[in-house]
Amino acid sequence: MTVSSAAFAAISGLGFGLSLIVAIGAQNAFVLRQGVRGQHVAAVVAVCVVSDVLLIAAGIGGFGALVQAAPALITVLRYAGAAFLLGYAVLAARRALTSSALVVDSAGASVALGATVATCLALTWLNPHVYLDTVVLLGSFANGYAAADRWFLGAGAMVASALWFTALGFGARRLGPLFTRPVAWRVLDSVIAVVMVTLAIGLVLS
């Protein structure tokens, strides 16, 4: 291992990590919504980052083969995740269609921290693509590097996760003035509902 090879691995991990994380998905939609509302943002960001760190470490550590060897577990997660996403989509659609719910949201009524963290954990760990992408795909990508450089690649991917979720969660607060109007919440929740339903269908059909 050389300094240049370690740096290259870290930069590669950063870029590869961002390519996996920066996409419209259930987790990102939830972080965005919490960021706009300014509620439990630090806790949500922390859950996402710590979860990614654990998953990335598992991928670098070779647990991808274990995931591939347990197709039954992935199947269970797929249907459980799809059911959860559909339920969350129904809640988002109801908020979009109910003017009173929009007023409550725009007023900033708080949801309990425990419920928020539980939802974030479910959106993260009930998604089988998290295991297939972060553990299997990242693990396979890391195998193309020397053993000594793989953890530098993993560190780069972990930094990518921390940067992305911090920027998304806390940066979303800049959209606060836009969401003083109920119609903005209606649009956001409508988009979230569509995203959740699309992802749920994708999980069932995948």
Side-chain angles (χ1 to χ4, degrees):
M1 179 188 68
T2 64
V3 173
S4 58
S5 67
F8 179 77
I11 293 172
S12 297
L14 179 68
F16 194 77
L18 286 173
S19 71
L20 293 176
I21 299 169
V22 183
I24 297 177
Q27 189 185 50
N28 283 341
F30 182 75
V31 175
L32 175 64
R33 192 173 195 281
Q34 290 301 120
V36 170
R37 298 185 73 188
Q39 293 180 0
H40 311 309
V41 179
V44 168
V45 170
V47 167
C48 293
V49 173
V50 171
S51 296
D52 267 9
V53 167
L54 294 175
L55 290 164
I56 291 168
I60 300 298
F63 282 87
L66 180 62
V67 172
Q68 289 177 311
L73 175 60
I74 296 299
T75 299
V76 170
L77 287 172
R78 185 168 78 241
Y79 286 105
F84 185 84
L85 290 175
L86 286 174
Y88 196 87
V90 170
L91 294 177
R94 188 173 66 178
R95 288 194 302 264
L97 296 173
T98 306
S99 58
S100 59
L102 294 172
V103 172
V104 169
D105 269 348
S106 61
S110 179
V111 177
L113 174 61
T116 301
V117 170
T119 300
C120 189
L121 286 170
L123 290 172
T124 301
W125 293 92
L126 286 181
N127 180 6
H129 288 300
V130 166
Y131 302 94
L132 296 175
D133 291 348
T134 308
V135 179
V136 177
L137 188 57
L138 182 62
S140 299
F141 181 72
N143 285 335
Y145 290 77
D149 290 335
R150 290 172 190 167
W151 286 105
F152 286 96
L153 184 145
M158 293 173 187
V159 170
S161 175
L163 291 175
W164 169 251
F165 286 117
T166 300
L168 181 63
F170 291 100
R173 300 190 67 173
R174 294 182 175 273
L175 299 175
L178 174 64
F179 285 88
T180 56
R181 296 178 297 172
V183 66
W185 286 106
R186 188 186 301 277
V187 172
L188 177 62
D189 281 321
S190 296
V191 171
I192 289 176
V194 171
V195 168
M196 298 298 179
V197 170
T198 302
L199 291 172
I201 294 174
L203 285 181
V204 172
L205 297 179
S206 63

